[in-house]
Amino acid sequence: MAKLEEYIPIVGKPVIDELKLLGQKLQGKVIQNINSTAVGGGVAEILNRMIPLLKELEVDARWDVIKGGEQFFEVTKKFHNALHGKHEDIDRRDFDIFTETSQRNAAELNTYGDIVFVHDPQPVMLVNKRSGNKWVWRCHIDVSNPDQKVWKFLRDFVVKYDSAVFSAPSFTQELPIRQFLIAPSIDPLSDKNKEIPQQAIDSVMEKYKIPKDKPIITQISRFDRLKDPIGVIEAYKKVKKYVDCRLILAGGTATDDPEGMAVLDEVREKSKADADIHILLLPQNDIEVNALQRGSTVIIQKSLKEGFGLTVAEALWKGKPVVASNVGGIPLQIKNKYSGMLCYSVDGAAYAIKQLLNSPQYARKLGENGKEHIRNNFLLTRHIRDYMLLFLSLYHGEDIVYL
Ligand code: UDP
């Protein structure tokens, strides 16, 4: 794991000095993160990098994961989709399953933190255990247009927290508690994002039998309908009529996402007649994701709904031209035709990809701009700073200046 000092050439010394100062002010406080999976998805991705760096800043940050069975994660996946505004059949039984598992977790999990930092809806009910410590709910989802039944149910717990954190102003709901807006981030020095030699890229391409004879379009995402892998294939097919190219759809599964294998089957079915489509079920391996992103000509993220969309930041940081849907946190990262291309449909995605494949210089410029935008706004150091300021503000009066 990279040390703090190694970030200085990337973000500058003043940034690191400020982190050290804030870290000192938090000494003696235990920050307990709680989420629902240690592996897979953006939240686990961030926590895996953030906890060690906070520790290096001598902040006592810890991470616990709630337990849940298949039924619980089926329900939380439905909740996740419903909060994104997708229709789901949710009935009393689903709420009962959620409540029962939450109660079991509440009984088993010690909420020892001075600050209990709960990520996303799965562990939200733990707040019933609060006793004198500070509780913050970190919502990574865009809940601006949720299914009301699910939101009302969760809201009753959310309002018991001291504060809530959302990734962007447009993701929020009105709440009677303090809200903070803190965008997520990527770690430029993680295995997923650090510079790697061409040889490492080539060997991953060879491992997955992907020749370098044609431009490569890639989407890296869990196999999830909201990531619209079928739409990606349709866009690729439209591009392919004009520019010969390959498509990589690569993703693993997350332990809290039961739908993955079914979606993977649909994707395989849809692509089986075309040898230039490479469907990869990835092991959890950050170097491989890094290599696939770096080895691609254009990165696509054609999500129908998105939280922040870390994969976009990862690709931009690598200087790649990105075509991505104008949803969730993606427009924070991509200013259309400046740091990437935003799209609204299969046709729009195909048009943008074609344009980038036909104009490599333009594509390179978008990638360069994208990299600087990520450097200035979405690196881990900025994220840690925001969180530390938030934690400190919990110990101040209501007159504190909001982030
Ligand atoms: N990811 C990964 N392997 C995969 C698929 C995704 O490591 O097979 C990573 C991806 O690089 C990113 C995170 O998982 O860091 C996904 O975060 P994002 O915000 O894009 O989407 P989420 O899965 O949280 O909806």
Side-chain angles (χ1 to χ4, degrees):
M1 164 98 203
K3 296 279 171 220
L4 262 179
E5 305 298 318
E6 294 174 55
Y7 291 82
I8 292 176
I10 301 171
V11 295
K13 190 165 180 302
V15 171
I16 303 304
D17 288 344
E18 189 186 11
L19 293 185
K20 288 181 183 163
L21 198 75
L22 291 170
Q24 280 167 18
K25 293 194 184 299
L26 276 166
Q27 276 184 21
K29 300 277 185 249
V30 176
I31 318 289
Q32 180 184 14
N33 290 272
I34 301 176
N35 84 324
S36 65
T37 177
V39 190
V43 180
E45 175 77 20
I46 291 169
L47 288 176
N48 262 314
R49 305 301 301 173
M50 188 173 275
I51 303 283
L53 268 195
L54 282 170
K55 286 197 167 135
E56 206 188 324
L57 290 163
E58 293 177 42
V59 177
D60 191 351
R62 308 190 199 177
W63 179 8
D64 291 293
V65 178
I66 58 163
K67 294 196 187 110
E70 204 176 315
Q71 279 190 324
F72 175 71
F73 287 124
E74 274 166 18
V75 171
T76 58
K77 186 67 205 271
K78 281 206 263 183
F79 280 13
H80 178 91
N81 290 339
L83 289 172
H84 271 301
K86 184 168 174 260
H87 176 76
E88 290 282 350
D89 288 322
I90 294 169
D91 56 28
R92 192 66 260 155
R93 208 176 106 77
D94 294 311
F95 291 115
D96 289 345
I97 290 169
F98 186 87
T99 305
E100 277 161 27
T101 303
S102 298
Q103 284 168 345
R104 210 167 316 128
N105 275 303
E108 285 172 13
L109 194 88
N110 183 352
T111 47
Y112 50 78
D114 293 296
I115 299 170
V116 184
F117 199 30
V118 173
H119 297 260
D120 278 342
Q122 299 92 333
V124 72
M125 265 177 89
L126 289 176
V127 72
N128 283 343
K129 283 185 81 175
R130 73 172 292 169
S131 57
N133 46 0
K134 307 280 186 193
W135 285 68
V136 181
W137 187 56
R138 202 314 173 201
C139 181
H140 295 266
I141 304 171
D142 174 357
V143 292
S144 55
N145 187 23
D147 174 290
Q148 285 302 320
K149 196 162 50 167
V150 173
W151 174 245
K152 276 194 184 134
F153 173 80
L154 294 175
R155 192 183 184 279
D156 285 346
F157 304 104
V158 172
V159 296
K160 295 183 184 174
Y161 284 76
D162 291 281
S163 301
V165 184
F166 293 89
S167 296
S170 61
F171 284 21
T172 59
Q173 283 283 333
E174 258 189 56
L175 290 168
I177 58 173
R178 284 203 292 173
Q179 294 195 31
F180 294 82
L181 302 174
I182 300 179
S185 63
I186 59 164
D187 182 351
L189 296 178
S190 66
D191 283 350
K192 182 164 290 170
N193 296 311
K194 69 185 184 188
E195 301 266 352
I196 50 173
Q198 186 61 41
Q199 195 190 351
I201 301 171
D202 292 344
S203 79
V204 171
M205 290 298 184
E206 275 162 33
K207 172 179 169 185
Y208 288 109
K209 300 190 174 48
I210 303 164
K212 293 195 299 179
D213 53 347
K214 303 172 190 176
I216 299 173
I217 305 160
T218 298
Q219 175 162 298
I220 294 181
S221 275
R222 291 177 294 104
F223 287 97
D224 179 326
R225 289 193 183 88
L226 292 181
K227 307 287 183 187
D228 199 16
I230 299 291
V232 173
I233 294 173
E234 285 166 359
Y236 152 84
K237 286 186 174 165
K238 284 177 187 277
V239 173
K240 178 98 170 163
K241 284 187 196 153
Y242 302 93
V243 189
D244 195 14
C245 56
R246 295 183 178 278
L247 173 66
I248 301 176
L249 275 173
T253 52
T255 50
D256 61 351
D257 180 0
E259 278 181 335
M261 294 319 276
V263 177
L264 179 60
D265 287 344
E266 286 166 29
V267 168
R268 284 195 168 128
E269 183 60 32
K270 176 94 181 169
S271 60
K272 67 181 179 197
D274 187 338
D276 288 347
I277 303 181
H278 305 267
I279 308 294
L280 314 180
L281 181 58
L282 294 182
Q284 192 62 39
N285 183 324
D286 288 348
I287 292 281
E288 285 192 3
V289 171
N290 190 341
L292 289 169
Q293 287 168 330
R294 288 185 192 276
S296 302
T297 320
V298 172
I299 298 288
I300 179 164
Q301 189 61 54
K302 216 210 137 300
S303 306
L304 302 172
K305 298 279 177 183
E306 193 50 82
F308 178 70
L310 283 177
T311 48
V312 171
E314 290 161 5
L316 292 174
W317 179 247
K318 296 174 180 88
K320 290 290 157 184
V322 178
V323 173
S325 305
N326 188 19
V327 294
I330 291 173
L332 299 175
Q333 305 179 58
I334 294 185
K335 299 297 162 213
N336 193 31
K337 299 184 182 171
Y338 177 75
S339 54
M341 308 269 273
L342 292 175
C343 63
Y344 299 80
S345 62
V346 167
D347 284 335
Y351 182 81
I353 295 168
K354 249 187 303 173
Q355 196 179 352
L356 293 175
L357 293 181
N358 285 329
S359 330
Q361 243 176 326
Y362 179 55
R364 198 166 36 247
K365 189 66 201 158
L366 294 188
E368 281 167 11
N369 292 345
K371 179 166 187 174
E372 286 318 298
H373 186 58
I374 299 302
R375 188 197 306 280
N376 293 331
N377 298 287
F378 300 116
L379 294 186
L380 182 59
T381 39
R382 190 274 310 150
H383 197 179
I384 288 181
R385 172 183 175 274
D386 286 355
Y387 275 171
M388 289 200 289
L389 285 170
L390 154 66
F391 298 148
L392 287 170
S393 81
L394 297 173
Y395 295 96
H396 289 72
E398 292 299 321
D399 54 341
I400 191 87
V401 176
Y402 286 9
L403 290 176

